[in-house]
Amino acid sequence: MKKALVCGGGGFIGSHLVKRLKKESFWVRAVDIKKPEFSKSFADEFVVGDLREQRLCKKILDKKFDEVYQLAADMGGAGYIFTGEHDADVMHNSATINLNIVHYGQKAGIKKIFYSSSACIYPAYNQLEPNNPNCAENSAYPAEPDSEYGWEKLFSERMYLSYNRNYNLPVRIARFHNIFGPEGTWRGGKEKAPAAICRKVAEAKNGGEIEIWGDGKQTRSFLYIDECLDGIRKLMNSDFTGPVNIGSEEMVSINKLAEMVMKI
């Protein structure tokens, strides 16, 4: 039986990934600072702990895991990332986790590691045209991410690639584009646009109004969680290091998203 470690296994994508790996007959250890919020974890073993702590990372990486998935991060939606109030924590917490996992993972002799990066690494100037944003993988440089969250993700991409070059650590890197689905955060500032819009519409009075950030013409690529998991598993089973986008080619404006939700 193959063994997998899912860091960030208490989060939205991580908890769904654990369930997927169990269906594929993996033995799974999940680690996170908290357990899944809306359902029970399917992991064989769930470790509640802080991945910023070296002692914990060394402890959980106690075997040559066939596959390690590093999704743990200090992250959230636009209401958390773009205020500027959390920049130091976002960069410090996420970078520390990645430094620990790749360091102790390499020492433990893990066979392969997946790193979840983000579309936030792409230069802000590449995304100014709503109907034709440039998010091709090769457009990441010259670098100018739209947030400190994006800068940390880009730094960590380079760190994992460096471990691949210097220590022959097999890595797979994917940049996620607005993943949505059941059991995702839906209030508090860390929710993504689909959940935020659904909440606003559901709570609106008949004939009332909802608030949309910006002019609503900005477009995004949204991908359902099951398709995201398909992309992760295909990348892990391939010989391609990445980085590669995991998202949809269909661009949806925020106004259109709101109209769809209101109709439903």
Side-chain angles (χ1 to χ4, degrees):
M1 179 182 289
K2 284 189 174 182
K3 294 180 173 63
L5 173 67
V6 179
C7 301
F12 165 53
I13 299 177
S15 60
H16 282 278
L17 177 60
V18 168
K19 189 186 302 184
R20 173 68 173 263
L21 292 170
K22 286 305 302 173
K23 286 182 179 179
E24 295 183 24
S25 300
F26 276 77
W27 182 90
V28 181
R29 173 183 291 163
V31 187
D32 208 320
I33 203 164
K34 62 176 178 59
K35 290 188 175 181
E37 188 174 357
F38 303 112
S39 66
K40 183 180 178 180
S41 176
F42 282 73
D44 296 280
E45 180 183 305
F46 197 106
V47 178
V48 176
D50 191 338
L51 291 167
R52 293 172 298 180
E53 297 178 2
Q54 293 185 12
R55 185 181 301 175
L56 174 69
C57 293
K58 189 174 182 180
K59 181 179 178 180
I60 62 169
L61 286 158
D62 59 352
K63 53 177 64 72
K64 292 184 178 181
F65 282 97
D66 297 284
E67 298 180 3
V68 173
Y69 294 85
Q70 188 349 51
L71 295 92
D74 189 349
M75 63 165 297
Y80 185 78
I81 291 174
F82 295 118
T83 65
E85 298 174 4
H86 311 286
D87 288 348
D89 287 341
V90 165
M91 297 192 80
H92 174 270
N93 293 340
S94 296
T96 302
I97 292 169
N98 284 309
L99 286 162
N100 286 343
I101 295 299
V102 74
H103 174 71
Y104 288 107
Q106 183 268 325
K107 286 187 173 298
I110 59 175
K111 297 178 182 178
K112 191 183 298 184
I113 185 167
F114 171 89
Y115 173 59
S116 61
S117 187
S118 167
C120 289
I121 67 95
Y122 289 109
Y125 57 78
N126 278 10
Q127 303 182 58
L128 297 178
E129 173 54 51
N131 296 317
N132 190 31
N134 181 11
C135 289
E137 287 89 343
N138 61 7
S139 72
Y141 298 93
E144 193 180 330
D146 59 7
S147 62
E148 302 300 351
Y149 174 81
W151 277 109
E152 188 282 323
K153 286 290 188 183
L154 195 59
F155 160 76
S156 292
E157 281 189 13
R158 298 183 69 93
M159 180 173 62
Y160 281 94
L161 291 171
S162 296
Y163 269 77
N164 174 250
R165 288 194 306 273
N166 296 159
Y167 295 104
N168 297 315
L169 178 65
V171 303
R172 301 289 182 269
I173 300 172
R175 295 167 180 164
F176 290 158
H177 290 249
N178 299 295
I179 313 303
F180 74 97
E183 301 184 12
T185 299
W186 57 282
R187 66 163 67 249
K190 288 198 170 189
E191 67 275 20
K192 306 297 184 182
I197 297 295
C198 286
R199 186 197 72 245
K200 290 179 179 182
V201 171
E203 293 179 345
K205 306 286 186 181
N206 288 335
E209 297 179 348
I210 66 169
E211 180 187 27
I212 297 293
W213 295 354
D215 60 12
K217 296 179 182 179
Q218 64 271 37
T219 57
R220 295 291 184 269
S221 162
F222 297 105
L223 189 70
Y224 190 65
I225 181 63
D226 291 354
E227 296 172 299
C228 173
L229 298 179
D230 288 342
I232 293 172
R233 296 297 296 131
K234 287 179 179 178
L235 179 60
M236 279 296 269
N237 289 328
S238 76
D239 294 325
F240 188 65
T241 298
V244 64
N245 288 321
I246 292 185
S248 168
E249 292 184 345
E250 180 185 9
M251 303 306 296
V252 180
S253 73
I254 300 301
N255 283 339
K256 180 64 176 177
L257 177 65
E259 289 169 5
M260 291 168 63
V261 174
M262 285 186 277
K263 183 177 179 181
I264 293 169

